[in-house]
Amino acid sequence: MQKICIIGLGYIGLPTAAVFARAGYDVVGVDVNKKVIELLNKGEIIIEENGLPEVVKEAVESGKLRASLEPEAADAFIVAVPTPVHADHTANVDYVVSAVEKIVPHVKKGDVVIVESTIPPRTIDDVVAPIFKEAGFDPEKDIHLAHCPERVLPGRILIELVENARIVGGLTPEAAEKAADVYRRVVTGDILVTEAVTAEMSKLMENTFRDVNIALANELSKICGVLGVDAHKVIELANRHPRVNLHQPGPGVGGHCLAVDPYFIVEKAPAEAQIIKMSRDINNSMPDYVVDQIVRMTGDIERPTVALFGLTYKGNIDDVRESPAIEIVEKMIENPRFNVRVHDPHVRDEQVSFPLSSFEEAVADAHLIVILADHNEFKQLDQHTLVSKMARPVVFDTKNCTGLQNTNGLTVHKIGDLRGLS
Ligand code: SAJ
C-alpha cells in the first residue's frame, strides 16, 4: 500500500491528505475547486486550522502531496466530501455519489475505497456498493469498501486525526481489515473494526448523544425558569454523582454536525426515533425562548436598545453555520419594537447580512446585553464599564459564561436562572 487518492480537500480531506503524506504515503488530493488545487500545488491553503499550513507546505515540498482536479489510480481512495441537507433535513448524499462515480474508472481489483463523509445508516450498503456493482465489480469480493467516519474537532484536527480512536466499518470483515491497515500507519489511537452500518450508526450516535443531552439541559432550564430554581446549581450538584453528566443549556445548538446528524437517523427510522426528533425540536425552540425572555426583560421600555453579543455557534471560533445566535439576531431585527445592535469580535462584516457594532457602540446606552456565544472576550466583561455605559445595566447571559454578579447596580439573568425576573 503506497498511494492514496483523497477526494474532497476541505476541513477533513485536506488535513487527512497532509497527515497521510507526512506518514510516507504518496497522496494525490482531488477537488472540484480549481483555486484550491492551484494553491495546494504551491504549498498553500485557504482553510484556517492550527498547524495545517506548515504540515501542508512540508508535504508538498517533499513531493509526497500534490493536488489534481481529476482522480487517478491509487491503492486506496478516501472520500471526504460534504453531506449537505435538504430543506426537510434529510441527507443529500449527491456529493458522495458523484465522488464515488468519479473514482470508479480508476479503481482496480483489490483497491480499498473508504467513505469518511458523514452518511445516513446503510448508505455504504444501499448507495455506494451498488455504484460499483453497476460498474461491473463485485463490491464484496473485488474491492474493499468501508466507512471510516471522521470525528475531529476544528482547532485540534491535526492532533485528533492522529490520536483519536477510529471506527472502521467494512462491507465485509476483510474490507474492514484492509481499510484499517490504511489508518494504522498514521493513527496512534485504537482502530476499532466493525461492519459498515455499525460504523455509520456509531458516528451519528456520538453527535446525537450530545444533542439529546443538550436538549435535556435546555428543557431543565425552561422548567427551572417556571419553578424559580437555578438550573446551573442543579447541574453542578447532580454532576457530583459519579455516573451523571448533565450538559449545559444555551441559546440552541449550532454547527454543521450536532444540529444536522441526528436527522439522518430520524430519516431512516422516523417512527422509532422519538427522543432524537424531540431533542432536535427542543434545541430548535431555544432561539424563540431567548427572544421571549428578552421581551419579558424589556417589556416596560418603549423601544429598548438591545445589544446582542456573539454570533458564532460556539465560543472562540469564527464559524456562524447553523448558529442559533444568527436566528436570534434575525428575529430581533425583524421586530420593530427593538433597536438592535450586534457585536462579535470573531466575525467579519462580510459573513453576515446585518451591520456589526464595536463593543463601545453596542454598549452605549443599551438597555440590555444578551450574551449568545462564550467567547473569551465576554468572559472578561468589566462590571463597572457596563454599569457606567449602559442606559439600564442588565445582562442576559445565555451561555452562563460571564461571571458577572448581581451586585453594584448590575442585574444578571441567565438561561436556567430567571429568578430575578418578575
Ligand atoms: N452545546 C450546548 N451545551 C453543551 C455543549 C454544547 O449548548 O453542553 C452547543 C454548542 O454551543 C454548539 C453545539 O452544541 O452550538 C455543538 O458544539 P460541540 O462543541 O458539541 O460540537 P461540534 O459540532 O463543534 O463538533 C462535534 C464533535 N462531536 C462530539 O463531540 C460528539 C466533534 O468531535 C465531531 O467531529 C463533529 O461534531 C463532527 O464533525 O461531527
Side-chain angles (χ1 to χ4, degrees):
M1 178 79 55
Q2 191 46 46
K3 184 171 169 188
I4 301 191
C5 181
I6 298 185
I7 318 294
L9 294 173
Y11 274 94
I12 301 301
L14 182 57
T16 303
V19 166
F20 276 55
R22 185 176 64 185
Y25 285 116
D26 292 319
V27 180
V28 55
V30 179
D31 203 287
V32 289
N33 186 335
K34 227 172 157 180
K35 188 163 172 234
V36 168
I37 300 302
E38 282 169 10
L39 281 177
L40 186 56
N41 281 328
K42 287 192 255 167
E44 293 165 30
I45 58 173
I46 50 171
I47 289 172
E48 262 185 51
E49 177 61 33
N50 290 335
L52 190 58
E54 295 78 11
V55 182
V56 166
K57 194 163 183 284
E58 219 179 293
V60 172
E61 279 171 3
S62 72
K64 285 285 177 191
L65 173 62
R66 65 198 166 76
S68 167
L69 279 167
E70 291 300 324
E72 48 191 73
D75 304 307
F77 296 81
I78 297 180
V79 174
V81 294
T83 328
V85 280
H86 296 116
D88 65 354
H89 300 299
T90 55
N92 174 354
V93 295
D94 291 355
Y95 292 136
V96 174
V97 168
S98 91
V100 173
E101 284 172 348
K102 247 179 129 174
I103 61 172
V104 165
H106 305 277
V107 173
K108 56 189 183 306
K109 281 192 177 183
D111 284 353
V112 176
V113 177
I114 297 165
V115 176
E116 286 207 11
S117 312
T118 304
I119 43 180
R122 298 206 52 83
T123 300
I124 293 288
D125 287 77
D126 297 348
V127 179
V128 179
I131 299 174
F132 282 98
K133 204 162 179 194
E134 185 84 351
F137 287 93
D138 180 338
E140 295 197 357
K141 292 203 179 96
D142 295 340
I143 55 164
H144 304 295
L145 189 53
H147 177 51
C148 178
E150 60 81 14
R151 37 163 49 166
V152 290
L153 204 63
R156 287 178 44 85
I157 293 180
L158 287 178
I159 302 164
E160 296 206 357
L161 264 182
V162 174
E163 294 181 3
N164 286 2
R166 290 301 289 256
I167 303 170
V168 183
L171 188 66
T172 63
E174 200 197 345
E177 270 311 320
K178 293 280 185 205
D181 281 343
V182 174
Y183 292 95
R184 283 197 177 104
R185 203 194 285 184
V186 180
V187 173
T188 59
D190 290 339
I191 303 212
L192 313 163
V193 171
T194 184
E195 292 124 30
V197 66
T198 311
E200 290 164 338
M201 270 310 277
S202 308
K203 160 71 188 183
L204 298 174
M205 280 311 291
E206 289 166 14
N207 285 339
T208 299
F209 171 86
R210 268 176 89 69
D211 194 52
V212 169
N213 277 285
I214 297 164
L216 187 62
N218 283 334
E219 184 165 290
L220 168 72
S221 74
K222 288 182 179 177
I223 294 168
C224 287
V226 174
L227 299 183
V229 183
D230 176 0
H232 302 286
K233 195 74 197 168
V234 173
I235 292 170
E236 185 194 322
L237 297 177
N239 282 352
R240 296 298 296 274
H241 182 290
R243 286 172 297 282
V244 172
N245 177 23
L246 284 168
H247 284 41
Q248 298 302 319
V253 168
H256 47 294
C257 306
L258 268 66
V260 171
D261 294 358
Y263 288 119
F264 292 8
I265 301 175
V266 175
E267 160 185 353
K268 293 290 173 175
E272 292 75 17
Q274 299 280 322
I275 291 181
I276 298 175
K277 172 70 170 61
M278 195 177 282
S279 300
R280 286 277 67 246
D281 292 344
I282 291 169
N283 289 334
N284 285 343
S285 77
M286 294 312 287
D288 276 329
Y289 181 74
V290 169
V291 174
D292 287 349
Q293 306 319 309
I294 295 173
V295 170
R296 279 177 76 192
M297 286 168 203
T298 55
D300 59 321
I301 303 170
E302 180 135 6
R303 192 158 187 271
T305 295
V306 181
L308 302 167
F309 273 32
L311 290 169
T312 58
Y313 83 88
K314 62 180 180 181
N316 301 322
I317 58 168
D318 66 357
D319 193 339
V320 295
R321 281 178 295 180
E322 316 283 331
S323 174
I326 297 277
E327 201 183 324
I328 291 166
V329 169
E330 285 169 352
K331 283 178 195 289
M332 290 290 294
I333 289 174
E334 262 169 34
N335 190 331
R337 259 204 67 206
F338 298 109
N339 177 28
V340 178
R341 294 183 193 146
V342 185
H343 170 65
D344 191 320
H346 293 258
V347 172
R348 299 172 305 279
D349 289 309
E350 63 269 21
Q351 285 179 265
V352 290
S353 57
F354 39 79
L356 296 175
S357 302
S358 66
F359 172 78
E360 287 75 18
E361 288 162 353
V363 171
D365 296 325
H367 298 95
L368 176 68
I369 291 176
V370 186
I371 310 287
L372 299 170
D374 46 353
H375 293 320
N376 285 345
E377 291 87 343
F378 305 155
K379 293 178 188 165
Q380 289 147 15
L381 284 177
D382 178 50
Q383 187 125 356
H384 177 73
T385 307
L386 301 186
V387 172
S388 60
K389 304 276 183 212
M390 292 176 74
R392 183 161 79 177
V394 184
V395 172
F396 179 26
D397 182 357
T398 71
K399 296 295 295 183
N400 189 27
C401 69
T402 62
L404 293 167
Q405 303 293 326
N406 254 317
T407 51
N408 300 331
L410 188 71
T411 303
V412 183
H413 304 294
K414 293 173 188 172
I415 267 200
D417 185 11
L418 298 172
R419 286 173 301 169
L421 204 56
S422 51

